[in-house]
Each structure stands twice: as C-alpha cells, then as structure tokens.
Amino acid sequence: MTDFDKSIPSSRRIFRRRLSAARIAEVGFGWLAKGTMIVAAVVVVVLSGGTGLADLPSTRRQWLAVAAIILLVFAGVVAYHYTFAVPSPKQ
C-alpha cells in the first residue's frame, strides 16, 4: 500500500486497480515514442555523414555551451511541471 492509501481511513478507501488496459496502453505508447526518438536520432547521425552535426565538442567552450543547453532544458522541464502540474484531487 502506498502512503496515500494509508492516509485514507479504511472506510473510505476505493479499490484502485494496479493493472488496467489504460495503463498498458500508456506504457506501450511510451515505449513506441521512445523507440521512435531513438530511430530518429540514428537517422540524423547516419544522414549527417560526418559533416560535423553529430561530432562531439572539442573545446572547453563548446562543452560549456552543451552543458548550458542541457541545464536550460532541464530547468524548463522542472519549471513547467512546478507551474502547470495538476495536484491530485483531495477526497
């Protein structure tokens, strides 16, 4: 039982199914999306053909730019989830 389930009195607990068709579909589509992104990344690397698109940074300044981009994307994701996350309904 989760902490949320423990916090609700036993008289008010609702049977929550752990495995359902919706959950299976959600996981399946997630795998499909991740697989599509991997295939797209491989296609980009193959089609770049050594033109420099897929090369690793070679200087400290280029690595700093890559790290800054990654941190900005991460900060954006955190800000989005913090700002627009829908709280679970209280029962």
Side-chain angles (χ1 to χ4, degrees):
M1 225 187 301
T2 64
D3 290 335
F4 175 74
D5 291 330
K6 291 177 185 175
S7 67
I8 299 173
S10 61
S11 61
R12 294 203 164 234
R13 284 191 193 131
I14 298 172
F15 177 71
R16 297 188 327 162
R17 293 172 46 178
R18 301 281 187 228
L19 186 64
S20 66
R23 179 69 179 141
I24 292 171
E26 180 183 356
V27 171
F29 284 121
W31 288 346
L32 180 67
K34 289 174 188 170
T36 303
M37 291 302 293
I38 290 170
V39 169
V42 169
V43 167
V44 167
V45 169
V46 168
L47 291 179
S48 68
T51 60
L53 180 63
D55 293 340
L56 288 174
S58 58
T59 65
R60 183 176 289 190
R61 185 173 181 168
Q62 291 172 344
W63 277 108
L64 185 61
V66 169
I69 290 170
I70 291 171
L71 286 175
L72 283 173
V73 169
F74 181 71
V77 169
V78 169
Y80 173 79
H81 284 286
Y82 180 76
T83 306
F84 298 111
V86 179
S88 60
K90 296 182 180 179
Q91 295 184 3

